[in-house]
Amino acid sequence: MKSLNSRRTRAIVVAIAAGSLALTGCSENKGGSSGKDSKKDQAEAAEQSKAVVYGDAAASTGPAEEVAGAKSGGTVQVYQESGLTHLDPGQIYVSDAGQVANLLFRGLTNFEEDGKGNVSVVGDLATDSGTSSNGGKTWTFTLKDGVKDQNGNAITSADIRHTIERQYAEFIFDGPTYLQTWLSGAKYREALPDGGFGTKHLPASVLDTPDAKTVVFHFDTARPDLPQTLAMPGYSVVPEKTDTKAKYDTAPVSTGPYKIAEYKVGKSMKLVKNENWDPKTDSVRHQYVDGFNFDFGVTESTQTSRLIADQGDSKNAIQLTGGIEATQIQKVISDAAVNKRTIKGYQPYVMTLTFNLDRVKNKTVRDAIAYGVNSKSLIAGEGGAYGGDAAANLFAPTLPGYEAAYDPYGRLKTPQGNIAKAKELLKDVPAAEKKLVFAYSNSEAGQKRKVAIEDALTKIGIDVVSKEIDSASYYEQIGKVKNPYDLYITGWGQDWPSPGTVITPIYDGDQVADGSSNYSHINDPKVQELIKKALTQEPTEAAATWKEAQHYILEKVNPAAPLWYTKQFQLYGSNIGGARYSTESSYIDITRLFLKS
């Protein structure tokens, strides 16, 4: 998944019914930090990759286990620099909106965690995590009784069908595509051009809703990861009666514990209790506080300063996906009382300098940049060892199949960049091919990254022209196939514990389209062959194929230069209770917060 500085993630060893592993995929929204000891941090990251368990009906029955010391009442203040990318569930694939989704929306399944790194998939709208049959090709879900949307309308199988079919509509362009492609192939939109808004629907042989409580998926091959896929925010339910198509993105209908009372795009948002949410139907979420007030446009330095000072409303405040600003980290860790109000953990994101292969066609140029880019200076802007570690390859330490020593461009030996090697490669390259347009986010983090990239590329002989993009629409802009940029920093974390949720979304040639995560536009026959092979293999067998794919992609194509692996380091106010690091989201666990007084 991408975070805003990338997407979300999880961790391996997938068994047909017992699940895969833990953690969350997508694009990132800003790294923070774990600690100074990178080897220890990476060992802890591997610990995050425990096997995910698929929960039964008992595990899926609400209410959620009480949080120790929890009280009711009050409003949590939320600081965030960038506005939300989307609020339409079908468009959610970035970590900021993914955090908010857990307060507003519910899907057939969800992730539940115990705070010790153990993650399970439980039924959310469904009574359990699903029942597979026909060798894993068929999955059946039964809806819980008593689940309603914010308007008091019961959620039925028709709403689930509608939620899935609207993913085929043209106005849904920025969310996950796993389920659609599994059901209808790479050109899934052709199977349902009107996205279920007309008279045509997916046939019962693909998606069946035999009664108001039952949903049945039929696939052409086993899909053991379906319960994890359906737990993604992008597959949260959109009630059919209130779907306003493209307009839904700013005024969605809630099925979770909170609903939107007021939303000023890019400025503020106010959430209040959803009185039609029934805790007896929800084994994951709580409704302790009266609401959440989101302030957008608050820079990370301002967030950090306010939370360190811990005055007024800041005592009741959290960072959503931002982290402690790099220059203030020492102030935080040197004050025991402040440091006690932090959450830390390794994130699943790999930050890369991604090449637009339609424009940067000379592999020698791409290789030179991969050798010459300065990971050390980039990480310094993230908080040094508290913000991340130099990335050697495209797999994060949280991902099964991670190879710590696989370092084709010497990123670990020369994290500051191998200037001599890069210059040698570029010496015979025409000047026109060395003038490149670099796109960057206009956030504080984006500005720091711009300076580091310009400095490194200028030193190796690249003529850099930097172009600013609004941070809220960053991924949307670079996600256009005909975008006018040569280079951009992207971040990705696995959608669930499999290398397939890294290789397939980012490097599959079938995914080259507006809104897709294939930001480099790579479309290589060998990569396609390896992806198809791995997807038909059992996980242990597929691991070797995914490894071969990563090596080929990095060495033979080089669509993206590895930069750094991200860590999270967030601060919250002294009156916030229930705060903990979420293995699943890699941010503060927003589902269990309360105010102490």
Side-chain angles (χ1 to χ4, degrees):
M1 170 186 201
K2 51 195 168 197
S3 65
L4 193 62
N5 300 336
S6 245
R7 285 199 182 196
R8 260 201 330 174
T9 310
R10 284 165 250 281
I12 168 176
V13 181
V14 179
I16 282 278
S20 315
L21 302 198
L23 253 145
T24 320
C26 64
S27 299
E28 173 239 8
N29 231 333
K30 174 62 186 106
S33 151
S34 178
K36 291 183 178 179
D37 189 336
S38 295
K39 289 184 178 178
K40 181 182 177 184
D41 287 342
Q42 292 199 12
E44 290 176 354
E47 284 292 311
Q48 292 175 205
S49 300
K50 295 179 180 179
V52 167
V53 175
Y54 286 180
D56 58 13
S60 307
T61 301
E65 183 179 344
E66 289 294 325
V67 177
K71 298 178 180 179
S72 295
T75 300
V76 171
Q77 185 72 38
V78 184
Y79 298 141
Q80 180 75 349
E81 182 167 1
S82 303
L84 297 176
T85 48
H86 292 289
L87 277 176
D88 183 328
Q91 300 272 55
I92 294 178
Y93 211 173
V94 175
S95 51
D96 57 352
Q99 278 279 75
V100 178
N102 245 333
L103 300 174
L104 296 175
F105 309 126
R106 300 177 67 179
L108 282 174
T109 61
N110 201 348
F111 290 96
E112 185 174 59
E113 52 190 305
D114 65 0
K116 301 174 184 176
N118 298 304
V119 178
S120 58
V121 178
V122 296
D124 192 355
L125 297 175
T127 55
D128 57 25
S129 57
T131 302
S132 66
S133 57
N134 188 25
K137 295 180 182 179
T138 299
W139 282 87
T140 302
F141 297 86
T142 302
L143 297 182
K144 292 175 178 175
D145 295 326
V147 179
K148 301 176 181 179
D149 67 18
Q150 70 179 57
N151 300 312
N153 299 315
I155 299 298
T156 71
S157 62
D159 295 306
I160 304 302
R161 172 181 285 279
H162 176 71
T163 296
I164 294 159
E165 291 182 340
R166 75 189 296 274
Q167 298 268 6
Y168 290 63
E170 289 292 340
F171 71 86
I172 299 292
F173 58 86
D174 220 12
T177 60
Y178 294 106
L179 187 55
Q180 305 92 293
T181 55
W182 290 354
L183 291 171
S184 304
K187 297 182 179 179
Y188 63 89
R189 293 192 197 275
E190 295 177 4
L192 205 61
D194 58 12
F197 289 96
T199 57
K200 186 178 179 182
H201 294 279
L202 293 173
S205 59
V206 173
L207 176 62
D208 195 10
T209 50
D211 57 54
K213 290 286 186 182
T214 308
V215 180
V216 186
F217 296 93
H218 298 282
F219 303 104
D220 58 5
T221 189
R223 296 295 179 187
D225 289 343
L226 181 66
Q228 297 188 80
T229 311
L230 292 172
M232 297 175 70
Y235 294 117
S236 300
V237 69
V238 174
E240 185 174 18
K241 291 178 183 176
T242 49
D243 191 348
T244 53
K245 298 185 179 180
K247 295 179 181 178
Y248 200 76
D249 211 8
T250 55
V253 172
S254 170
T255 48
Y258 297 91
K259 63 182 179 181
I260 299 172
E262 181 180 274
Y263 183 34
K264 297 178 181 178
V265 177
K267 295 181 180 179
S268 64
M269 183 170 67
K270 182 178 181 181
L271 304 187
V272 296
K273 284 185 176 182
N274 172 13
E275 60 275 11
N276 281 304
W277 172 79
D278 185 351
K280 293 194 297 293
T281 69
D282 197 326
S283 66
V284 177
R285 303 169 186 83
H286 297 278
Q287 198 187 48
Y288 292 130
V289 298
D290 295 330
F292 293 78
N293 286 345
F294 290 75
D295 275 352
F296 303 111
V298 183
T299 64
E300 287 195 331
S301 56
T302 300
Q303 292 175 31
T304 306
S305 297
R306 288 180 184 176
L307 289 165
I308 289 173
D310 198 41
Q311 299 293 313
D313 285 346
S314 293
K315 291 183 178 181
N316 303 332
I318 64 169
Q319 296 182 293
L320 184 67
T321 58
I324 297 168
E325 194 266 328
T327 64
Q328 299 181 70
I329 284 177
Q330 196 59 42
K331 190 182 294 186
V332 171
I333 62 176
S334 62
D335 186 326
V338 176
N339 195 35
K340 195 167 78 170
R341 297 188 279 112
T342 63
I343 61 109
K344 309 175 181 70
Y346 224 110
Q347 293 189 304
Y349 303 116
V350 181
M351 306 303 295
T352 63
L353 183 59
T354 298
F355 305 106
N356 181 341
L357 298 184
D358 295 332
R359 293 167 60 98
V360 190
K361 296 182 179 181
N362 188 336
K363 184 173 180 291
T364 299
V365 173
R366 303 197 298 271
D367 288 352
I369 291 172
Y371 279 108
V373 74
N374 190 335
S375 291
K376 193 172 182 180
S377 64
L378 286 160
I379 293 168
E382 306 295 311
Y386 284 90
D389 294 330
N393 56 66
L394 303 173
F395 286 180
T398 56
L399 184 68
Y402 168 66
E403 301 172 83
Y406 176 52
D407 187 17
Y409 293 99
R411 308 301 307 142
L412 301 180
K413 294 176 183 176
T414 53
Q416 73 280 10
N418 188 334
I419 306 299
K421 176 74 172 178
K423 283 184 172 180
E424 175 67 21
L425 287 170
L426 289 172
K427 66 178 183 181
D428 296 325
V429 173
E433 294 183 31
K434 291 188 284 189
K435 184 172 184 177
L436 301 176
V437 178
F438 170 66
Y440 68 97
S441 163
N442 66 353
S443 65
E444 275 191 335
Q447 297 282 354
K448 291 177 183 176
R449 294 169 185 181
K450 165 185 174 285
V451 172
I453 292 295
E454 285 180 340
D455 179 66
L457 298 193
T458 300
K459 284 178 179 175
I460 66 172
I462 297 291
D463 182 5
V464 189
V465 178
S466 295
K467 299 288 186 179
E468 180 182 285
I469 299 178
D470 178 68
S471 57
S473 63
Y474 180 76
Y475 275 96
E476 184 177 337
Q477 296 304 314
I478 65 172
K480 293 177 180 178
V481 175
K482 296 297 183 182
N483 78 66
Y485 313 115
D486 298 307
L487 306 162
Y488 20 79
I489 290 178
T490 65
W492 190 266
Q494 66 265 29
D495 288 303
W496 60 85
S498 166
T501 66
V502 172
I503 297 292
T504 306
I506 316 179
Y507 304 113
D508 183 350
D510 289 338
Q511 303 286 338
V512 177
D514 286 348
S516 162
S517 305
N518 186 337
Y519 300 111
S520 68
H521 313 146
I522 179 177
N523 189 359
D524 185 277
K526 177 68 174 178
V527 177
Q528 299 302 98
E529 175 190 320
L530 291 169
I531 288 173
K532 287 180 172 63
K533 179 181 176 182
L535 291 177
T536 63
Q537 296 173 316
E538 287 300 310
T540 50
E541 192 181 3
T545 307
W546 292 125
K547 176 180 176 179
E548 182 184 352
Q550 185 198 193
H551 286 225
Y552 179 87
I553 289 167
L554 256 184
E555 297 169 38
K556 303 300 182 184
V557 184
N558 189 15
L563 297 176
W564 77 94
Y565 304 127
T566 70
K567 299 175 185 177
Q568 186 55 276
F569 195 22
Q570 291 184 301
L571 184 59
Y572 56 88
S574 62
N575 198 36
I576 294 288
R580 72 179 183 190
Y581 178 78
S582 167
T583 300
E584 191 275 322
S585 72
S586 70
Y587 298 103
I588 191 169
D589 188 339
I590 203 166
T591 66
R592 48 183 276 125
L593 301 180
F594 64 90
L595 296 182
K596 297 174 183 177
S597 62

